[in-house]
Structure formats: structure tokens, C-alpha cells
Amino acid sequence: MFDIVRKIITKWDPIKLMSFSPPDEYDIECQLIIEEYEKTTEKLSKIIYSVFRNSFGEEFNEDFSKCEDIAVEIEKEIQKNI
């Protein structure tokens, strides 16, 4: 599951760091998302938003709706790989 979350979060790049950061830039946030993982899109969206807001504060300025999109993408990938 970590690899799925990491791939999607890194591709999303919510803080726009990946062009100059190491590939593991968001690993801590991905691990936190997995630790709090809930199997509903609504709960997962809230977890994603909270993790990034807590880690990056005001630098994280994505709309909650984008977190919902990312949660849907993560859920779809997890379901495909079960």
C-alpha cells in the first residue's frame, strides 16, 4: 500500500518540491496517511488534508476538493491491487 500512496502523492506533488527534492520527499506524509488510513473516500480525504496541513502549514494551499480527488485515486489503485 505504501508504494501506491507514494506514487500518487509524488505525482500530485502538492507543495511543488519534486523538481528539486529527493524521491523520498513525501515519504513521512505517505506513512502518516497509511497509519491513519480509513476505507472511505471522505475519511481518507480528511486524513490527506490534515497530514499535509500539519506537515507544511501555509505552504500547503490545495483545496480540500483536490484531496478528495487524490483519495479517490488512492482507493481505486488499492482496489485494483487487492
Side-chain angles (χ1 to χ4, degrees):
M1 185 159 66
F2 179 82
D3 290 337
I4 291 169
V5 172
R6 183 182 198 210
K7 180 180 110 184
I8 293 169
I9 296 295
T10 301
K11 184 177 94 181
W12 173 32
D13 192 13
I15 314 299
K16 309 300 181 239
L17 299 173
M18 295 313 299
S19 65
F20 57 86
S21 295
D24 65 349
E25 179 63 39
Y26 296 120
D27 281 7
I28 292 171
E29 290 74 25
C30 293
Q31 188 60 44
L32 291 170
I33 290 167
I34 290 168
E35 287 173 7
E36 296 184 44
Y37 179 74
E38 296 278 341
K39 292 184 178 185
T40 68
T41 302
E42 180 182 345
K43 288 180 181 177
L44 183 55
S45 302
K46 290 176 182 177
I47 291 166
I48 293 167
Y49 187 86
S50 175
V51 164
F52 278 96
R53 180 56 86 174
N54 289 338
S55 290
F56 293 98
E58 294 298 316
E59 290 180 68
F60 177 68
N61 56 14
E62 293 279 352
D63 291 336
F64 183 75
S65 63
K66 185 60 182 175
C67 294
E68 292 172 319
D69 295 342
I70 295 300
V72 167
E73 191 174 344
I74 289 171
E75 285 294 314
K76 285 181 183 176
E77 282 298 312
I78 289 172
Q79 291 303 314
K80 280 185 358 187
N81 289 288
I82 290 180

